[in-house]
Amino acid sequence: MDGEVILLDAYASMFGMRLRIALAEKGVKYEYREENLPKKSPFLFQMNPIHKKVPVLIHNGKPICESLIALQYIDEVWHDKNPLLPSDPYKRAQARLWADFVDQKVHILGRKIWSAKGEEQEAAKKEFIEALKVLEGELGEKPYFGGEEFGYVDVALIPFYSWFHAYETCGNFKIGTQCPKFVAWAKRCMQRESVSKSLADPEKVYDFVLILKKHFGVE
Amino acid sequence: MEEAGGVKLFGFWVSPFAQRVKWALKLKGIQYEYIEEDKYNKSPLLLKLNPVYGKVPVLVHNGKPISESIIILEYIDEVWKQAPLLPQDPYERAQAHFWAKFAEEKVRQSVVEAMCSSGDEKQKAVKLAVEAFEEFEKELKRRGTKFFGGETIGFVDIVAGCISYQLPVHEEVGSLKILDSSKFPAISEWTRNFLNHPLINEGLPQKDQMFAYYSKRSKEIAYQKMSHKTSIVIREFTDVSCGISLFLPQHPYERANSRFWVRFAAEKVTCLHDVFDDY
């Protein structure tokens, strides 16, 4: 019925969390396989030879790489249950735009917060908060980015909430006090079982960041 | 040409992103009004239509704006069903999205990086560009069709298509040679087939005008990168020449550590997008 579904992932990967949430929302049974990052397995190289990154969704032996691409794939294949993208083309375009904003801004700036120092880090912290405020503006008074229903942008964004503790510790700043609306939205999402079961523990994320810093020779 | 309910395209003459949208509209036979924006003097209207990024292209359909070229292409394909750009099968669609993203991020951007950089950085960028071309060549050969989309032009062809007419200009401006036809026969043939299509070739910017534009643009980008690094070097120089350490620690090991950090931030962490996400 669903076919064979394997998710090649890493516990702390915010991109992997997106797919865990989507598969849970759709009630899809799958096999979870953990990559021991930063070491990468031959299987990962085989499934994603070009980028060599997780997550990789493998459906009936065929790999789909890049989390937002796999997210859309999941939504199309299991379209009957809990659709994530709206049906109206204009609203779909807006959802894709905001998911792309998460990748361009939240992810890139977040990475600079834990890996940079001095001026670079300060600039990244400031721009990160600005990006969250832009997202707060887009959310407005809606319960979710998807409107009344939890949707594509919510799935794309909520995993980064599990990285806030790592960003705050590395950056020596507080995010929640500056973006209370964002935190309120995040807590609302966390009430969904698909989210609470899929998001990594923030302490474990921070431990992972320390491993990454050591691996890349970053203090 | 089909009269579609109010379609406007805000573009910039040399923008490869706007060109993608023009191609999609033409291939589907959609009539549209084109509005030229000046990249160096953007209109208040453009900034209102695209408040997040303030860039072209922006497609306005029935008064509603859509931005980001790849997202616009998906929108066009969903609204106008004729001459479909994406395949029907979900797995094939996912593959098309993957290769479109690859064409934009790994192929096009690496060529621009190679064009704008010098010395060691340029060598590294050329190496990355060639590797990206090798993957693209492999995939084209594997498919064995005239275009990525099959026998007709599709989504990946349109996204990758700017390479067909801009690569020779980038190579000339940057004194590069990436597309060696003996090394990349499939890409070379794909380029010829793509540019042979009358709707694709129609209205492309003039080569000499593109050369003049990218010569200037690549100097701008190089300068931006240099000022970013210069500000770091100036601080170090100031330190050393003033004989007191305002910015760097005293202990030699800590100084070396600091220098490592600065270079890491400058070289590894600065996202290419900051510099190259413009046309």
Side-chain angles (χ1 to χ4, degrees):
Chain A
M1 220 177 43
D2 284 344
E4 184 201 47
V5 182
I6 299 170
L7 178 63
L8 194 53
D9 196 354
Y11 177 69
S13 164
M14 56 289 252
F15 304 110
M17 288 178 223
R18 288 171 169 171
L19 303 190
R20 287 174 233 164
I21 295 170
L23 291 167
E25 286 282 321
K26 309 278 183 178
V28 176
K29 294 223 171 2
Y30 66 98
E31 180 197 333
Y32 179 89
R33 284 198 205 171
E34 176 80 5
E35 277 290 312
N36 191 18
L37 296 186
K39 277 195 288 227
K40 294 180 179 182
S41 74
F43 185 62
L44 174 58
F45 289 147
Q46 191 195 348
M47 288 293 114
N48 191 354
I50 290 175
H51 300 304
K52 306 174 180 62
K53 286 184 183 171
V54 292
V56 183
L57 182 78
I58 307 160
H59 188 202
N60 295 326
K62 296 194 283 192
I64 299 109
C65 310
E66 305 287 309
S67 64
L68 291 181
I69 294 175
L71 195 53
Q72 287 200 67
Y73 176 84
I74 290 169
D75 204 37
E76 282 173 23
V77 172
W78 291 280
H79 54 90
D80 292 339
K81 192 161 177 216
N82 289 344
L84 297 173
L85 274 170
S87 48
D88 171 67
Y90 180 72
K91 291 186 178 151
R92 289 162 78 84
Q94 296 314 299
R96 287 176 179 131
L97 185 71
W98 287 107
D100 182 62
F101 181 87
V102 174
D103 278 0
Q104 301 290 351
K105 298 287 176 189
V106 179
H107 169 57
I108 303 282
L109 293 166
R111 190 173 64 194
K112 282 192 194 185
I113 293 173
W114 67 257
S115 62
K117 280 211 166 165
E119 268 187 41
E120 297 281 347
Q121 190 192 47
E122 288 307 309
K125 281 158 62 178
K126 186 166 163 282
E127 288 175 47
F128 183 82
I129 298 293
E130 279 166 12
L132 293 192
K133 286 193 189 299
V134 169
L135 285 163
E136 283 183 331
E138 171 57 21
L139 180 67
E141 299 308 312
K142 305 194 295 285
Y144 300 107
F145 284 92
E148 292 304 310
E149 302 292 333
F150 182 75
Y152 187 75
V153 180
D154 305 284
V155 176
L157 181 56
I158 190 61
F160 288 87
Y161 185 58
S162 67
W163 278 64
F164 276 19
H165 170 61
Y167 296 149
E168 286 177 330
T169 311
C170 295
N172 192 30
F173 73 134
K174 287 279 175 240
I175 300 170
T177 44
Q178 300 186 70
C179 305
K181 257 186 130 170
F182 187 97
V183 174
W185 160 81
K187 290 188 169 157
R188 192 176 301 123
C189 292
M190 291 295 285
Q191 286 171 1
R192 292 179 87 81
E193 202 182 343
S194 64
V195 176
S196 60
K197 289 219 157 125
S198 302
L199 254 53
D201 176 81
E203 282 296 343
K204 295 205 169 110
V205 170
Y206 179 62
D207 290 341
F208 177 68
V209 169
L210 293 178
I211 292 171
L212 285 183
K213 284 169 84 133
K214 197 171 170 191
H215 177 79
F216 288 111
V218 162
E219 191 179 286
Chain B
M1 280 273 221
E2 186 197 309
E3 182 71 54
V7 180
K8 292 185 186 177
L9 173 62
F10 289 75
F12 179 54
W13 67 277
V14 75
S15 164
F17 312 109
Q19 189 59 57
R20 287 172 181 160
V21 180
K22 286 183 201 169
W23 282 331
L25 292 168
K26 284 191 208 187
L27 287 167
K28 289 194 181 255
I30 299 162
Q31 206 169 36
Y32 64 98
E33 182 194 342
Y34 176 77
I35 296 124
E36 173 75 6
E37 280 285 332
D38 180 357
K39 172 189 152 81
Y40 297 96
N41 189 18
K42 293 175 183 177
S43 71
L45 176 59
L46 174 67
L47 300 174
K48 188 172 156 217
L49 291 171
N50 189 356
V52 180
Y53 299 111
K55 289 182 186 171
V56 296
V58 177
L59 187 82
V60 181
H61 182 213
N62 294 331
K64 296 195 281 197
I66 303 109
S67 52
E68 297 294 291
S69 63
I70 292 179
I71 293 174
I72 296 172
L73 293 184
E74 287 180 274
Y75 175 83
I76 290 171
D77 210 36
E78 285 176 6
V79 172
W80 292 281
K81 304 289 188 192
Q82 68 273 29
L85 302 175
L86 280 165
Q88 288 299 320
D89 172 70
Y91 181 73
E92 293 306 321
R93 289 163 78 85
Q95 294 313 297
H97 283 303
F98 177 89
W99 284 103
K101 194 171 185 217
F102 185 87
E104 169 51 32
E105 291 179 5
K106 301 291 176 193
V107 182
R108 192 196 70 84
Q109 285 187 20
S110 65
V111 171
V112 174
E113 160 74 353
M115 175 183 75
C116 299
S117 52
S118 54
D120 278 347
E121 267 185 41
K122 193 184 193 83
Q123 272 188 10
K124 259 191 277 182
V126 169
K127 184 169 174 284
L128 284 173
V130 169
E131 282 169 4
F133 270 74
E134 283 166 358
E135 291 296 343
F136 214 61
E137 174 82 8
K138 247 195 307 189
E139 181 61 17
L140 259 176
K141 277 191 174 131
R142 191 192 68 82
R143 284 173 187 243
T145 48
K146 195 174 175 192
F147 300 109
F148 254 87
E151 292 309 304
T152 53
I153 289 173
F155 193 78
V156 180
D157 304 290
I158 292 180
V159 175
C162 48
I163 299 157
S164 71
Y165 71 98
Q166 289 207 329
L167 179 65
V169 177
H170 293 323
E171 284 179 325
E172 200 181 333
V173 170
S175 304
L176 311 162
K177 186 62 191 162
I178 295 172
L179 187 54
D180 179 348
S181 58
S182 58
K183 210 180 161 199
F184 300 113
I187 295 179
S188 302
E189 199 184 321
W190 168 81
T191 301
R192 274 193 301 275
N193 287 330
F194 187 73
L195 287 174
N196 254 342
H197 193 299
L199 291 178
I200 297 296
N201 217 349
E202 180 188 69
L204 289 179
Q206 299 286 342
K207 205 167 173 190
D208 54 350
Q209 289 178 330
M210 282 195 285
F211 180 83
Y213 173 81
Y214 281 111
S215 297
K216 178 173 161 230
R217 184 80 190 114
S218 93
K219 289 193 180 87
E220 272 174 17
I221 292 172
Y223 177 74
Q224 276 171 21
K225 284 167 74 178
M226 194 187 70
S227 345
H228 171 71
K229 282 192 177 166
T230 302
S231 66
I232 294 166
V233 169
I234 283 173
R235 280 208 303 281
E236 283 201 42
F237 174 75
T238 314
D239 249 7
V240 168
S241 62
C242 290
I244 49 166
S245 193
L246 290 173
F247 305 111
L248 287 173
Q250 289 285 0
H251 191 281
Y253 176 76
E254 297 305 321
R255 284 173 89 85
N257 223 2
S258 257
R259 286 205 176 96
F260 169 84
W261 262 108
V262 164
R263 262 152 192 81
F264 182 90
E267 286 162 23
K268 291 202 192 333
V269 178
T270 305
C271 176
L272 276 180
H273 276 274
D274 294 340
V275 182
F276 300 120
D277 61 356
D278 240 337
Y279 28 82

